[in-house]
Amino acid sequence: LRAAKITLLLKFFVRVGSHYNSLTMSKVSIIIPIFKVRNFIERCVCSLFEQTLTDVEYIFVDDASPDDSIDILKACIERYPERKGQVRILVHEQNQGLPAARNTGLAVATGEYVFHCDSDDFVEKDMLEEMYRAAKAKDAAADTTTERAKAAAVVTATNQLP
């Protein structure tokens, strides 16, 4: 069942760059739009900050939330000082909706992979680590298949008669 969950979640785990540079990129950027989620945001943030994968960028997008969701977020950040340097809070002056909030986050994401998390969701502590490991294995398999196809194309092209 756990493997099935990871496979399903990989659909939401998007590879951004083809070459990971550990000096400039996080392994994973998480984009969390925030709008009227005061009853859920604390549980969401705590579950994300308690992840076993530590090389994570957290991008919260305040989509002009009229409630105290952002105050609750900031209180959570203070409780996890080791994560504070990994957090960005972006602000929309007017509510633009979920797709725009996600796009705002995508525009600044630096992770090798991006994960979209709704602010009323919460996750298991090792979810990102498991997804990252599965995604890397999937990418390695895809890279091997691509290299084999390229090699076969070269062999085919060099064995053709003029």
Side-chain angles (χ1 to χ4, degrees):
L1 181 61
R2 185 166 174 81
K5 282 184 186 177
I6 294 297
T7 302
L8 177 64
L9 285 171
L10 279 175
K11 293 178 182 178
F12 300 101
F13 210 60
V14 180
R15 187 170 188 177
V16 177
S18 59
H19 300 290
Y20 172 63
N21 181 343
S22 63
L23 297 176
T24 59
M25 298 173 73
S26 299
K27 289 180 179 176
V28 178
S29 293
I30 306 174
I31 300 171
I32 310 100
I34 299 175
F35 185 76
K36 292 185 180 180
V37 289
R38 73 167 321 280
N39 295 328
F40 310 104
I41 190 66
E42 183 175 8
R43 186 172 186 187
C44 174
V45 173
C46 290
S47 75
L48 293 173
F49 285 174
E50 293 175 2
Q51 288 295 299
T52 56
L53 185 69
T54 57
D55 191 3
V56 178
E57 173 185 41
Y58 301 92
I59 303 169
F60 296 94
V61 182
D62 176 5
D63 197 21
S65 188
D67 62 8
D68 61 345
S69 296
I70 297 303
D71 293 333
I72 296 168
L73 167 63
K74 289 177 179 177
C76 289
I77 293 168
E78 291 303 318
R79 290 199 319 256
Y80 294 87
E82 70 280 6
R83 296 290 195 185
K84 198 171 190 174
Q86 299 167 276
V87 173
R88 297 174 79 174
I89 301 175
L90 309 176
V91 179
H92 286 171
E93 294 300 320
Q94 295 180 8
N95 179 260
Q96 298 178 31
L98 183 62
R102 286 185 174 158
N103 287 337
T104 296
L106 277 173
V108 301
T110 64
E112 179 184 8
Y113 293 91
V114 171
F115 180 71
H116 293 280
C117 183
D118 291 338
S119 46
D120 60 349
D121 291 343
F122 60 95
V123 296
E124 294 181 33
K125 289 185 179 195
D126 63 346
M127 183 203 70
L128 287 178
E129 189 170 6
E130 293 291 324
M131 288 177 60
Y132 184 78
R133 187 177 303 126
K136 292 300 281 185
K138 183 179 175 186
D139 288 345
D143 288 346
T144 300
T145 302
T146 301
E147 290 305 315
R148 286 183 185 153
K150 286 179 185 176
V154 169
V155 169
T156 302
T158 56
N159 289 334
Q160 292 180 351
L161 296 173

